[in-house]
Amino acid sequence: MTAPALVDYADVVARYEPTLGLEVHVELSTNTKMFCGCATTFGAEPNTQVCPTCLGLPGSLPVVNRTAVESAIRIGLALNCSIAPWGRFARKNYFYPDMPKNFQTSQYDEPICVDGYMDVTLDDGEVVRVGIERAHMEEDTGKSLHVGGATGRIHGADYSLLDYNRAGVPLIEIVTRMIPGTGERAPEVARAYVTQLRDLIKSLGVSDVRMDQGSMRCDVNLSLSPAGSGVLGTRTETKNVNSLRSVERAVRYEMSRQAGVLDAGGEIVQETRHFEEQSGTTRAGRRKETSEDYRYFPEPDLVPIAPSESWVEELRGTLPEKPWERRARLQAEWGISDEELRDLVNAGAIDLISDTVAAGAPAGEARSWWVAYLAQQANARGVELAELPITPGQVARVIALVAAGDLNNKLARQVVDGVLAGEGEPDEVVESRGLTVVSDDGALIAAVDEALAAQPDVADKIRAGKVQAAGAIVGAVMKATRGQADAKRVRELIIERVGS
Amino acid sequence: MSLTRLTAAELAEKIASREVSAVEAAQAHLDRIAEVDGEVHAFLHVGTEAALANAALVDEQVAAGTALGPLAGVPLALKDVFTTADMPTTCGSKILEGWRPPYDATVTARLRAAGITILGKTNMDEFAMGSSTEHSAYGPTHNPWDLSRIPGGSGGGSAAALAAFEAPLAIGTDTGGSIRQPAAVTGTVGVKPTYGGVSRYGLVACASSLDQGGPCARTVLDAALLHEVIAGHDPLDSTSIDRPVPSVVEAARIGAQGDLSGLRVGVVKELGGEGYQPGVRASFDAALQRLEKLGAEVVEVSCPHFEYAMAAYYLILPSEVSSNLARFDAMRYGLRVDEGASAEEVMAATREAGFGPEVKRRIILGTYALSSGYYDAYYGQAQKVRTLISRDFSAAFAKADVLVSPTAPTTAFPLGEKVDDPLAMYLNDLATIPTNLAGVAGMSVPSGLAEEDGLPVGLQIMAPALGEAVMYRVGAAFEASRTADEGALVAPEVAR
């Protein structure tokens, strides 16, 4: 059986209206797990961050991590949700080897955050309001590694290895309402939503939100309805969408695929599909013979979560400025264009520049250091800008030394090189490398006089009022002082000396 | 007098005063176990070395003048449903045969901290499901009063160990009567504390919202002393109550003075009707007269929703069981039947081989009750009944300080009589189940022997949540008065 042909995207959007839904799982960066005291460090030796509770040993009991509840509430508040004054955890029952108890402790019909929204801004400035149905707390499962077999999945594997380090790590699942009416921009809206959600959660400091490490995972729900019909189509849920780009591609592919099925007179099967990163396609998961019945019921081992109003308000007070509002503010303060701002965002330079400004540097110079010289250095080292071994405070100090005339730009770069090489603070590098600008007029006058004497024709031109000719003398003086002279002072001295 | 005939309080005093060493006390009980347990089968595991080592440590501490708890050095039988890092924990199931937990239950840890000598682990119906210990995968326990009869269940091992003088103290768990009903049919004392009174951490769950660990002993005072050792808030159990433990030892001592004037004892109309064996009924009536004689005012109270308790219980319990027991899947510990190619097949084969018929019955019941489309009609409805039962208790406790009923409808029945008739078996817990559903406290104290068969009968005393003090007071007064008249209940010597 061959799948119906994909439909050209322009054709899809001409004849179908997509409805999007996004479910995003965020792994919280709490020090300990959701229901026990085990560490949550990423990449630890398998099965070293486990205890009776997260292994589901007989007799063990869960205890709710207060910090995780706090994080959930803060995420909810940042998404304009209401915080439920009372709610219970529930057990979601199903058997799978990486689930220690064969049930997942989650929230079912009593989520902690409900009814929110986020205004998502697209590249051209269009704003789409995405409704948030709920955000709830749950525990992550362990990880399975299926060895042998063709698919890398449990069926057909020779054997499977289980790592329970991740079992019990706190997760927040954020579920949007259906997002209709995005038309041809559906893939872009999906990507922008996930991007903005990632930035928002990052600004709260509650998760690393690294899609590449799985601390943020996205499921894309999509259905098509014939344009103008108003009839909602059957949706598919695509999992394994592990990058922002994949979000966009998965939506686009599913739109083309579903249109193909519908055009061929077929029906969309409500199913879970997997996104294939390499081909950019989705494929059906194993078809379940019966629909899963999770037999949810309230978790009897836990007491209800009942956040007091005063606690919620206290947490509301800890919310930082929204990242996009902050960006707009900084754009205005720094006086830069939309395009320049986007470059800074893409370079990951916003926080660095902002912190450099906060450390006392003028915005223009701070920006110029980070996007020019430091960006080059990061590039050369193959690291992110933020990973360079120099702090915004150190950059600000270098800028201050230049402004005070203690360094010129060339020397300043050498100081930065020294800091990057681990030679210490900027002032220590200046000291140890002997990089101070020569500001002793006596020495400079001698050098200026020598240069004027060597080039009498230039000296005459200057005397005749051609001040721009002084550049040649400045160059000669700088060369003679091995760059350590203050060029501005040299220029002043040249005018003085030719006149005398 | 043999050390095994002493009460825990007496033995503790002799150990503290160095009249008897803790090692002697432990050894006397180990000898008694060796002597009679072949016939009684109260124990699934006896930890001889660890018991003697603990006793030796207590003796050293006594000699050194270290301040010790009031039960230091007293031997105890621990129901095999609490995890113990130094002994297997099987819950009476093949699926956990030989499993050694890597951690101690909070109750276990508190016993150790109190210097109590844990002799071993006692037999029980598999995962605490049953009223006779016949559902243990390791064979039934026999009632020391008559070895052909059941010792009650699920905690029949703990109760039989007390009645057979294999231990002066034991720990049980009570989900629907598993401490109280065995106490009743073995002529011993058993207490189900208020839900949340004793930590469930390390208690292998049967039904989480109903399970409660509690003390078992031959006297009310001994139960009270043990109660104060194991009760109290535990941060590892979210459902444990963060309130002071009621002063039950003091209450038991006051009660033993025999004055109950000013107290109102409520007789629950709905727990006094049909279905009781005549000798049980007669013993209960005599108990009411005795309570009146002690100065209590006996009043009748009505709890109209108790008639639905059994039905609600057999929906809530199996639902929680079906989820709690899902973890036994051969992937991490316990039995593994490696038949079949896939994880799913291994799980199924292991559960098929590892669970007994009663456990399977309840898993299937619970799975069904929680299924989509049935949840509201079964689990949801049962939870509403539970609320109504709690309200019945509140109303009744507004009229009476404690409530009373016979603990079990019959005396110990013959082994094999009801094992194939689940409904008949379930009816044993008719009078004990409501307290579990409402989370209130209950105890069973011996009320004498039934005339027709000469077997022990129990009086159930129930008290409001955290109302254990008044319950112990009434229990101790009743016990003191009854033993003064009739003597303590002593099982016939079961083996020589």
Side-chain angles (χ1 to χ4, degrees):
Chain A
M1 194 183 81
T2 51
L6 299 178
V7 177
D8 176 68
Y9 189 71
D11 192 16
V12 176
V13 297
R15 294 186 292 114
Y16 292 100
E17 177 56 47
T19 301
L20 269 175
L22 294 154
E23 290 174 24
V24 174
H25 282 89
V26 173
E27 232 178 53
L28 296 179
S29 54
T30 48
N31 293 328
T32 57
K33 291 186 181 180
M34 186 74 221
F35 300 116
C36 65
C38 286
T40 55
T41 318
F42 180 80
E45 275 291 295
N47 298 311
T48 55
Q49 296 178 349
V50 291
C51 74
T53 293
C54 59
L55 281 177
L57 293 189
S60 63
L61 291 174
V63 177
V64 174
N65 181 337
R66 186 187 164 95
T67 308
V69 177
E70 232 171 62
S71 302
I73 293 174
R74 293 179 73 227
I75 289 173
L77 292 173
L79 290 169
N80 306 297
C81 289
S82 308
I83 306 304
W86 192 89
R88 290 171 296 184
F89 281 94
R91 291 186 182 179
K92 180 181 182 179
N93 294 285
Y94 65 98
F95 283 84
Y96 200 81
D98 65 17
M99 279 236 303
K101 299 167 291 183
N102 286 319
F103 63 79
Q104 182 190 29
T105 306
S106 176
Q107 288 187 304
Y108 173 51
D109 49 359
E110 297 168 9
I112 187 158
C113 311
V114 292
D115 284 339
Y117 65 86
M118 183 165 73
D119 286 329
V120 176
T121 308
L122 305 183
D123 278 353
D124 64 358
E126 188 187 329
V127 175
V128 177
R129 175 162 291 193
V130 173
I132 305 293
E133 186 180 302
R134 58 188 284 160
H136 71 251
M137 299 177 279
E138 60 186 33
E139 57 178 339
D140 211 340
T141 62
K143 270 185 190 161
S144 308
L145 179 65
H146 305 298
V147 182
T151 59
R153 308 189 62 199
I154 189 167
H155 291 275
D158 293 336
Y159 60 92
S160 302
L161 298 172
L162 294 165
D163 175 8
Y164 293 102
N165 282 353
R166 200 182 67 180
V169 167
L171 289 181
I172 304 294
E173 182 178 345
I174 300 155
V175 183
T176 66
R177 295 193 181 285
M178 284 194 291
I179 313 166
T182 54
E184 63 173 342
R185 306 197 77 171
E188 202 185 333
V189 169
R191 181 189 177 136
Y193 166 76
V194 178
T195 308
Q196 209 168 302
L197 184 63
R198 181 197 62 179
D199 293 350
L200 179 68
I201 291 172
K202 195 170 184 190
S203 78
L204 296 172
V206 297
S207 169
D208 304 331
V209 279
R210 294 273 302 257
M211 290 187 90
D212 57 329
Q213 290 186 353
S215 58
M216 182 172 186
R217 310 196 275 270
C218 181
D219 300 343
V220 174
N221 291 327
L222 188 103
S223 67
L224 291 184
S225 49
S229 72
V231 180
L232 209 59
T234 304
R235 69 183 168 85
T236 59
E237 180 178 5
T238 302
K239 291 183 182 288
N240 196 38
V241 187
N242 294 331
S243 71
L244 294 172
R245 190 166 156 257
S246 296
V247 171
E248 194 165 352
R249 289 168 83 207
V251 173
R252 208 179 163 92
Y253 178 82
E254 265 304 285
M255 286 171 68
S256 290
R257 187 193 69 82
Q258 289 189 14
V261 173
L262 294 171
D263 283 358
E267 277 185 13
I268 303 299
V269 184
Q270 182 164 346
E271 63 184 353
T272 300
R273 299 184 66 85
H274 289 262
F275 184 69
E276 305 280 357
E277 189 81 45
Q278 259 187 327
S279 58
T281 61
T282 68
R283 70 170 162 77
R286 191 171 66 102
R287 192 70 49 81
K288 287 164 193 143
E289 279 128 42
T290 51
S291 73
E292 198 85 58
D293 181 353
Y294 293 120
R295 291 173 285 118
Y296 284 101
F297 74 106
E299 166 60 275
D301 284 330
L302 291 171
V303 290
I305 303 282
S308 69
E309 220 170 293
S310 61
W311 189 32
V312 171
E313 287 317 306
E314 188 187 315
L315 292 175
R316 197 191 297 279
T318 70
L319 295 185
E321 188 179 14
K322 297 247 186 337
W324 49 92
E325 286 168 3
R326 172 165 177 256
R327 260 176 240 147
R329 175 175 61 78
L330 293 176
Q331 183 181 5
E333 282 175 16
W334 299 348
I336 56 176
S337 68
D338 287 355
E339 203 183 346
E340 285 171 313
L341 177 72
R342 199 166 317 132
D343 288 346
L344 296 184
V345 170
N346 291 340
I350 294 279
D351 286 347
L352 298 167
I353 296 168
S354 165
D355 291 349
T356 307
V357 172
E365 270 142 279
R367 192 155 56 88
S368 138
W369 271 100
W370 284 105
V371 298
Y373 189 69
L374 288 166
Q376 281 166 28
Q377 302 307 307
N379 214 18
R381 291 164 181 241
V383 298
E384 295 293 316
L385 206 46
E387 290 166 355
L388 280 178
I390 187 164
T391 64
Q394 290 167 332
V395 175
R397 177 62 186 153
V398 171
I399 292 170
L401 288 171
V402 174
D406 294 338
L407 293 178
N408 56 29
N409 285 336
K410 188 180 167 195
L411 291 176
R413 284 195 288 275
Q414 290 177 33
V415 173
V416 166
D417 290 343
V419 173
L420 291 173
E423 293 168 24
E425 291 299 315
D427 291 290
E428 290 167 339
V429 178
V430 168
E431 176 78 28
S432 62
R433 289 198 181 189
L435 295 178
T436 352
V437 163
V438 176
S439 51
D440 170 3
D441 276 0
L444 284 183
I445 288 165
V448 167
D449 287 349
E450 197 175 310
L452 287 171
Q455 301 179 67
D457 49 332
V458 179
D460 288 343
K461 281 182 188 165
I462 299 168
R463 235 172 254 119
K466 289 190 176 170
V467 180
Q468 64 269 38
I473 306 297
V474 174
V477 172
M478 293 307 281
K479 197 174 174 189
T481 57
R482 297 193 322 280
Q484 281 180 260
D486 175 354
K488 198 170 141 226
R489 181 69 189 139
V490 171
R491 193 172 289 274
E492 285 167 5
L493 288 173
I494 292 168
I495 307 298
E496 255 177 63
R497 301 304 290 176
V498 293
S500 64
Chain B
M1 194 180 186
S2 161
L3 291 180
T4 57
R5 298 284 166 148
L6 299 174
T7 67
E10 290 163 350
L11 193 52
E13 207 180 296
K14 288 186 192 299
I15 292 167
S17 67
R18 301 178 71 177
E19 185 185 333
V20 169
S21 75
V23 169
E24 285 169 324
Q27 192 59 58
H29 286 90
L30 291 167
D31 291 347
R32 175 70 182 168
I33 291 168
E35 185 189 359
V36 303
D37 208 54
E39 285 173 84
V40 176
H41 192 41
F43 285 86
L44 293 177
H45 180 88
V46 178
T48 305
E49 273 178 39
L52 291 172
N54 176 74
L57 182 65
V58 169
D59 285 334
E60 274 174 39
Q61 289 169 327
V62 171
T66 312
L68 294 173
L71 291 174
V74 178
L76 174 141
L78 182 60
K79 190 177 182 182
D80 201 24
V81 72
F82 287 95
T83 59
T84 41
D86 60 349
M87 280 184 267
T89 300
T90 69
C91 302
S93 180
K94 284 286 177 209
I95 214 160
L96 277 179
E97 188 163 16
W99 181 58
R100 273 182 192 261
Y103 75 109
D104 272 342
T106 296
V107 163
T108 308
R110 289 189 179 177
L111 294 171
R112 293 194 205 280
I116 289 171
T117 297
I118 300 173
L119 296 168
K121 307 293 285 289
T122 56
N123 199 11
M124 57 187 283
D125 287 295
E126 185 175 5
F127 289 108
M129 295 176 216
S131 305
S132 68
T133 72
E134 291 166 293
H135 292 304
S136 166
Y138 304 99
T141 297
H142 299 261
N143 192 322
W145 287 81
D146 178 346
L147 293 175
S148 71
R149 290 176 185 263
I150 60 105
S154 65
S158 284
L162 297 170
F165 298 97
E166 294 171 271
L169 295 173
I171 296 285
T173 61
D174 193 313
T175 306
S178 287
I179 287 176
R180 290 162 290 163
Q181 181 257 8
V185 301
T186 57
T188 58
V189 176
V191 175
K192 182 205 98 68
T194 303
Y195 183 78
V198 174
S199 170
R200 291 186 298 115
Y201 187 75
L203 188 181
V204 180
C206 172
S208 309
S209 74
L210 300 162
D211 293 345
Q212 187 54 215
C216 308
R218 288 192 296 266
T219 71
V220 173
L221 176 64
D222 284 359
L225 288 163
L226 184 54
H227 190 121
E228 290 194 1
V229 169
I230 59 172
H233 181 244
D234 178 10
L236 297 176
D237 175 0
S238 311
T239 62
S240 115
I241 301 172
D242 193 2
R243 295 266 295 278
V245 177
S247 302
V248 293
V249 172
E250 189 193 357
R253 290 194 201 280
I254 291 169
Q257 293 163 13
D259 181 8
L260 293 182
S261 47
L263 278 184
R264 283 167 308 165
V265 172
V267 177
V268 183
K269 200 172 85 185
E270 289 76 8
L271 297 180
E274 301 288 298
Y276 290 98
Q277 186 181 318
V280 169
R281 183 79 243 182
S283 182
F284 180 63
D285 290 340
L288 293 180
Q289 285 172 21
R290 186 177 297 283
L291 290 168
E292 272 183 327
K293 203 178 84 187
L294 291 167
E297 182 193 346
V298 174
V299 297
E300 189 183 74
V301 297
S302 175
C303 295
H305 299 97
F306 279 20
E307 70 169 296
Y308 308 111
M310 178 74 74
Y313 178 81
Y314 276 101
L315 289 169
I316 293 168
L317 175 134
S319 296
E320 294 184 10
V321 161
S322 72
S323 176
N324 281 335
L325 269 60
R327 71 190 64 200
F328 301 102
D329 64 0
M331 296 294 125
R332 292 160 296 277
Y333 46 81
L335 182 70
R336 180 184 182 107
V337 178
D338 234 331
E339 284 165 15
S342 71
E344 214 170 308
E345 284 161 351
V346 170
M347 286 181 181
T350 301
R351 291 166 68 79
E352 165 60 26
F355 288 140
E358 183 61 24
V359 168
K360 284 179 190 161
R361 177 159 35 237
R362 297 198 195 187
I363 289 174
I364 291 167
L365 263 173
T367 303
Y368 185 76
L370 289 176
S371 295
S372 122
Y374 297 101
Y375 178 90
D376 289 341
Y378 294 140
Y379 190 82
Q381 210 54 18
Q383 289 293 7
K384 287 180 194 159
V385 169
R386 196 171 185 172
T387 305
L388 294 174
I389 287 170
S390 289
R391 286 188 197 154
D392 279 0
F393 268 115
S394 299
F397 285 127
K399 295 186 184 130
D401 297 291
V402 294
L403 305 179
V404 291
S405 77
T407 306
T410 69
T411 57
F413 47 88
L415 286 158
E417 187 181 277
K418 296 180 182 176
V419 71
D420 295 320
D421 185 352
L423 285 181
M425 190 73 90
Y426 296 170
L427 285 172
N428 276 289
D429 297 331
L430 192 69
T432 46
I433 279 173
T435 56
N436 298 83
L437 287 171
V440 300
M443 80 190 297
S444 181
V445 288
S447 67
L449 302 177
E451 218 167 67
E452 61 271 28
D453 55 20
L455 291 170
V457 177
L459 169 70
Q460 178 177 224
I461 306 167
M462 296 167 274
L466 293 177
E468 275 93 341
V470 65
M471 182 175 84
Y472 272 94
R473 182 180 157 202
V474 173
F478 178 80
E479 175 191 65
S481 164
R482 201 202 60 77
T483 48
D485 290 351
E486 304 169 6
L489 294 192
V490 178
E493 193 64 36
V494 291
R496 273 156 237 292

